[in-house]
Amino acid sequence: MDENCTFCKIIKGEIPSSKVYEDEEILAFNDINPATPIHILVIPKKHIKSLAEMKDGEEKIISKIYKVINEIAEKQGFKEKGYRVIVNCGKDAGQEVGHLHFHLLAGIKMGDKIV
Ligand code: AMP
Ligand code: ZN
């Protein structure tokens, strides 16, 4: 946990969120400023700053996050139509929140540039 991290505050319930999925390691909630009709953020509960700052062993959570993404896609009914998963890492990618997060985008036919 990082006291100043927006997503850690969401995990702790200090900032409200519209939750889509939760287990002991992962939380998914709707993005506050959706880029597509369905825009969900999937995050590890452990505070990992970015993809580049992952430590040995932490890669296991990544495969679990992808599994959860597929479960959400199935439950919300967009698995067949398709979806896009994006991770912004660092300044050049425009990462704004320093807590690893996966953008799950769906609900519209997407062009090349989104998020
Ligand atoms: P990134 O630019 O990859 O760091 O994306 C950060 C995302 O977090 C943006 O899409 C924001 O709209 C979203 N975001 C920031 N604060 C909140 C919040 N309190 N609740 C939900 N989504 C948020
Ligand atoms: Zn955090």
Side-chain angles (χ1 to χ4, degrees):
M1 290 288 164
D2 179 322
E3 281 181 8
N4 300 312
C5 169
T6 303
F7 290 173
C8 282
K9 286 180 184 168
I10 285 177
I11 292 162
K12 281 189 276 182
E14 290 174 10
I15 293 177
S17 69
S18 162
K19 284 181 195 173
V20 170
Y21 173 92
E22 182 167 24
D23 66 28
E24 61 288 345
E25 287 183 306
I26 292 168
L27 179 68
F29 51 95
N30 289 310
D31 196 292
I32 204 165
N33 185 22
T36 48
I38 297 165
H39 185 168
I40 296 164
L41 298 173
V42 188
I43 67 171
K45 286 190 172 174
K46 184 172 184 183
H47 181 81
I48 298 169
K49 280 189 198 161
S50 76
L51 197 60
E53 305 231 14
M54 262 181 19
K55 298 188 177 71
D56 277 356
E58 290 179 341
E59 68 280 356
K60 282 182 207 146
I61 196 72
I62 306 297
S63 48
K64 199 179 165 193
I65 282 173
Y66 274 101
K67 192 169 176 235
V68 165
I69 284 171
N70 282 344
E71 284 171 16
I72 293 169
E74 174 101 59
K75 267 196 191 136
Q76 296 212 359
F78 58 80
K79 198 172 183 180
E80 295 301 319
K81 276 207 149 185
Y83 45 103
R84 181 175 290 175
V85 181
I86 291 175
V87 179
N88 292 321
C89 179
K91 281 185 200 159
D92 275 4
Q95 183 179 358
E96 283 171 7
V97 178
H99 184 128
L100 177 63
H101 53 280
F102 290 67
H103 295 262
L104 170 55
L105 305 153
I108 196 170
K109 184 132 176 66
M110 286 171 254
D112 290 342
K113 286 185 184 172
I114 249 168
V115 178

